[in-house]
Amino acid sequence: MNKSPYTPTELRNALTTLYGTHPTTHIHGASDPNDELSTLQVITATVFLDYEAKQSASAAENARDAPPPTMDQLLHQFEQFQSLHGPPLNLTEVIASKHPSMCLAAEFKRASPSKGLIASNDADAASQACLYTEAGAGVISVLTEERWFMGGMEDLRRVRLATQEKLGGARPAVLRKDFVTTKYQILEAAASGADSVLLIVAVLPLEVLQELIMYARSLGMEPLVEVHALCELDVALQADARVIGVNNRNLHTFELDLGQTEKIADELTHRGIEFHPGKASEKKKVTLCALSGMSNAHDVHRYRSIGVQMCLIGESLMRAADPTVAIQGLCLNPDDYASSLSSAGGAYTSGLKLIKICGLTRVEDALAACRAGANLLGVIFAEKSKRKVGVADAKQIVNAVRKFGERSDRVVVEVDSNGSNGETSSPLSSLVAKSLALERAARRPLVVGVFQNQPMKYIRQMVDECGLDLVQLHGSEGMKAANMTNFGVPALRVVDIESGRSDERLNSSEIASSIIEKVTADPLAILLDTSIKGAKEGGGTGVTFDWSIAESVQSMGLPVIIAGGLTPENVAEAVTGVRPWGIDVAGGVEAEPGRKDLEKLTKFVGGARQAAVEANKGF
């Protein structure tokens, strides 16, 4: 996604100007003039050249546009802004004030290089920021880069003014998130009301970083200094960074690793640098933050448990049907997280968490599902299916989904080791723990291979050859066949619910009890689907089953995914009436078997998410 108007030579020369004669051993490819520029470097150089171009054009005699303000003019604007609206807030103090809750930096951005368009062009930064703040955000991050992120300085100024007008002294800190390489950009941010700026170590030599940090502090701003690799941490510490944010995304490759923050935390501990909140220490102390890739309460808790004090979350909040509900769902307060955890023996009442789009045969449909917000993407290998996919197409879908999710390998579903997998655990408690693990793993879309009464050897072969994240058993294989040792990845187990069943002597509660009695600890999760009386194999019926059965199963403590006959027209009824843990659709969003109708798909996912928001209001 290269939107730069400059040639590779111009971009490289800009970086050479930025780097000067300073040591750049921590900067990607800086020592090799033949190394291809990363997206991060292209954007940084483009922003650098854009500022130069604006100033050069305005200096021309025939310039038609008003010249950008000089440094002296910006300083005057900053002083005027301070006199009217008060000085910048101290970022360190804002973050610390939220303890023991996690401080949330909620981000406003319309697009990104890796995901393309995230929100509409007319998305309003000020109103979104007010929603974020009222829901509990302590920091508002505003993307001001124009070409790749579709932002601007006016967004930042309006965010500062709107949140201050609405909340006064309780306003959040406002962070300018951009590719800042000059004092001019820092002063420009301050003059528009920013409290802090992002400084990315990956593109700044040590001496430049030190100079920018000191200049920001001279204006009363404590910068957020971003690192990814350990060598970048060295530079940040040498530059006396006090608020360090770990970007879990490698901005050169765009691969995401949520373990990166933990690696940096371990290194800080090894060096004797204190970062845990609320701890008095004579040692050097920094505030540690996690940036990128988080989307749920499990992610927030993961970082809270190692001493992280702020999480920056953007894309998932921008895509949320209701940002307020999404922030509440992050459980920023540790007490809220503890009370949110389901336990075996209690009814499942947390509502919709997972959306599965099944029967995918085309990369473009899979990516549309990803962009819409689906968690699970099904590719069908069952021989008799109208939507059976070939190996080559399945591989292409897997690779596309991995790229969208900023990963290069399959996702490992990690189940908490608190007895959930132990020999003494009940099948129900094991499945509850596994459902939480799948929620955590599926914040990035996963590809599920769907099989039906096929040899285990063949299933294992497809898992390895195509790179599937999960499998789904849709035949008469039995519960124990779903043990992950059989395939090398976890398996969803389908339980067929007969439509128009002849034995009406059993009510939904009794049928649910029989399902609970038959489950084992082998599957990752249970999916309820419709079967037609007399049909040899279930699935793909386009018919709904008695949803009260799913309600009863969940009331007994087992979260389930429901499938069968779901459409954009009835999904809201299913989500609000049953409050299922997950939903699964194939034919209901198709133009024809194997080819999705993208309008229906988007309407289905959006309708489900909005219905989930409404359903949760009573809980």
Side-chain angles (χ1 to χ4, degrees):
M1 185 182 174
N2 190 337
K3 295 183 178 180
S4 180
Y6 306 105
T7 67
T9 299
E10 289 172 324
L11 294 171
R12 194 173 294 279
N13 288 342
L15 293 176
T16 299
T17 301
L18 172 61
Y19 300 156
T21 59
H22 303 302
T24 54
T25 54
H26 70 283
I27 295 178
H28 172 82
S31 60
D32 182 1
N34 297 316
D35 193 69
E36 184 178 352
L37 296 180
S38 69
T39 301
L40 171 61
Q41 291 170 316
V42 169
I43 297 174
T44 302
T46 300
V47 171
F48 185 85
L49 289 171
D50 280 346
Y51 271 88
E52 282 196 340
K54 289 175 185 176
Q55 291 168 347
S56 298
S58 65
E61 292 184 6
N62 59 347
R64 289 178 294 178
D65 296 331
T70 64
M71 287 286 284
D72 287 342
Q73 289 170 332
L74 281 177
L75 185 60
H76 179 65
Q77 290 175 18
F78 171 56
E79 291 169 347
Q80 281 189 317
F81 193 98
Q82 277 198 107
S83 66
L84 290 172
H85 307 292
L89 299 177
N90 182 285
L91 183 61
T92 306
E93 293 175 1
V94 170
I95 294 171
S97 71
K98 294 294 183 178
H99 183 70
S101 292
M102 176 71 76
C103 180
L104 172 66
E107 187 160 273
F108 179 85
K109 60 180 176 183
R110 297 183 181 89
S112 77
S114 59
K115 299 297 176 64
L117 191 65
I118 294 172
S120 63
N121 212 356
D122 58 355
D124 184 64
S127 58
Q128 186 90 348
C130 289
L131 287 175
Y132 285 164
T133 306
E134 290 172 336
V139 176
I140 305 298
S141 170
V142 184
L143 259 298
T144 56
E145 195 281 326
E146 297 177 1
R147 296 182 187 274
W148 282 267
F149 295 87
M150 297 172 59
M153 292 304 300
E154 185 59 24
D155 285 337
L156 188 145
R157 183 179 181 85
R158 292 185 66 246
V159 164
R160 167 64 190 271
L161 295 176
T163 53
Q164 183 155 347
E165 180 181 358
K166 199 170 189 71
L167 297 153
R171 73 173 182 86
V174 179
L175 168 72
R176 179 185 187 182
K177 195 173 180 190
D178 207 321
F179 300 82
V180 174
T181 57
T182 65
K183 292 180 181 178
Y184 185 94
Q185 290 168 283
I186 294 175
L187 184 54
E188 181 183 45
S192 292
D195 300 286
S196 180
V197 293
L198 180 73
L199 300 176
I200 304 174
V201 175
V203 293
L204 296 171
L206 170 60
E207 289 80 0
V208 176
L209 178 64
Q210 287 174 320
E211 184 180 3
L212 296 179
I213 289 175
M214 288 189 292
Y215 184 68
R217 287 177 182 157
S218 74
L219 301 173
M221 303 167 71
E222 185 60 46
L224 172 61
V225 179
E226 176 187 306
V227 305
H228 175 77
L230 292 179
C231 62
E232 295 168 12
L233 176 64
D234 291 333
V235 174
L237 293 173
Q238 288 179 63
D240 190 32
R242 296 171 190 167
V243 183
I244 295 178
V246 183
N247 197 333
N248 293 309
R249 180 179 289 110
N250 183 326
L251 291 180
H252 298 298
T253 66
F254 282 96
E255 288 187 4
L256 189 66
D257 176 11
L258 289 185
Q260 197 63 28
T261 297
E262 290 158 332
K263 292 173 188 174
I264 297 295
D266 288 343
E267 183 63 20
L268 289 172
T269 300
H270 177 71
R271 298 186 187 197
I273 297 172
E274 184 58 66
F275 58 90
H276 291 82
K279 283 191 177 182
S281 174
E282 295 181 357
K283 297 186 290 185
K284 178 179 175 67
K285 187 165 186 178
V286 298
T287 299
L288 185 62
C289 311
L291 319 178
S292 296
M294 295 145 286
S295 62
N296 58 43
H298 308 304
D299 295 334
V300 170
H301 179 70
R302 171 180 181 171
Y303 292 132
R304 177 169 45 228
S305 66
I306 63 169
V308 168
Q309 296 187 56
M310 183 180 84
C311 286
L312 188 149
I313 300 178
E315 182 183 347
S316 63
L317 296 181
M318 290 299 297
R319 293 188 188 275
D322 186 331
T324 300
V325 173
I327 290 175
Q328 291 170 350
L330 294 172
C331 297
L332 301 173
N333 187 300
D335 293 338
D336 292 339
Y337 181 76
S339 64
S340 74
L341 297 177
S342 300
S343 59
Y348 175 78
T349 59
S350 296
L352 184 69
K353 302 295 182 182
L354 301 176
I355 297 178
K356 178 168 173 273
I357 305 296
C358 202
L360 294 162
T361 63
R362 308 190 307 166
V363 167
E364 55 264 45
D365 292 345
L367 290 177
C370 290
R371 286 190 288 268
N375 309 97
L376 305 175
L377 308 177
V379 289
I380 299 176
F381 292 87
E383 289 294 339
K384 296 182 180 181
S385 174
K386 297 176 289 186
R387 306 174 181 92
K388 182 184 177 185
V389 70
V391 172
D393 288 335
K395 283 182 178 180
Q396 289 182 352
I397 289 172
V398 167
N399 289 335
V401 172
R402 285 184 180 181
K403 185 176 180 181
F404 180 89
E406 300 165 319
R407 58 187 175 102
S408 58
D409 204 348
R410 65 167 51 96
V411 170
V412 177
V413 181
E414 298 178 349
V415 183
D416 290 341
S417 57
N418 58 354
S420 58
N421 266 349
E423 294 181 1
T424 58
S425 297
S426 70
L428 181 57
S429 63
S430 177
L431 286 170
V432 168
K434 287 180 177 181
S435 70
L436 291 173
L438 181 54
E439 281 179 36
R440 291 192 292 268
R443 66 184 168 67
R444 286 185 279 178
L446 310 180
V447 181
V448 184
V450 181
F451 301 88
Q452 193 170 54
N453 297 325
Q454 290 161 289
M456 289 188 183
K457 183 178 179 181
Y458 170 75
I459 298 174
R460 182 68 180 251
Q461 179 186 345
M462 292 299 99
V463 167
D464 294 339
E465 193 171 340
C466 300
L468 302 174
D469 297 299
L470 307 170
V471 300
Q472 177 176 311
L473 300 182
H474 216 303
S476 56
E477 300 92 346
M479 287 284 170
K480 292 190 179 299
N483 193 293
M484 75 171 290
T485 58
N486 292 323
F487 318 112
V489 297
L492 308 178
R493 175 63 244 179
V494 174
V495 174
D496 289 326
I497 307 295
E498 191 175 290
S499 175
R501 51 196 167 85
S502 59
D503 187 358
E504 299 293 347
R505 291 172 297 176
L506 298 178
N507 59 36
S508 60
S509 180
E510 291 168 327
I511 294 172
S513 294
S514 70
I515 292 172
I516 296 291
E517 289 170 4
K518 292 174 183 176
V519 298
T520 69
D522 298 284
L524 175 64
I526 300 298
L527 186 152
L528 305 183
D529 197 1
T530 308
S531 68
I532 302 296
K533 182 175 174 58
K536 292 183 178 179
E537 296 175 330
T541 64
V543 177
T544 60
F545 64 87
D546 181 357
W547 289 340
S548 67
I549 297 171
E551 284 187 84
S552 295
V553 170
Q554 292 198 149
S555 72
M556 296 174 186
L558 179 62
V560 294
I561 301 169
I562 65 171
L566 291 174
T567 67
E569 288 69 40
N570 68 7
V571 68
E573 179 186 355
V575 170
T576 55
V578 182
R579 293 177 50 79
W581 174 56
I583 54 176
D584 183 350
V585 66
V589 294
E590 286 182 331
E592 60 186 53
R595 186 169 69 86
K596 302 305 180 192
D597 181 314
L598 301 189
E599 184 177 346
K600 287 182 180 179
L601 191 156
T602 303
K603 183 179 178 182
F604 180 89
V605 177
R609 295 294 186 201
Q610 185 60 51
V613 169
E614 296 301 319
N616 281 336
K617 288 181 178 178
F619 283 78

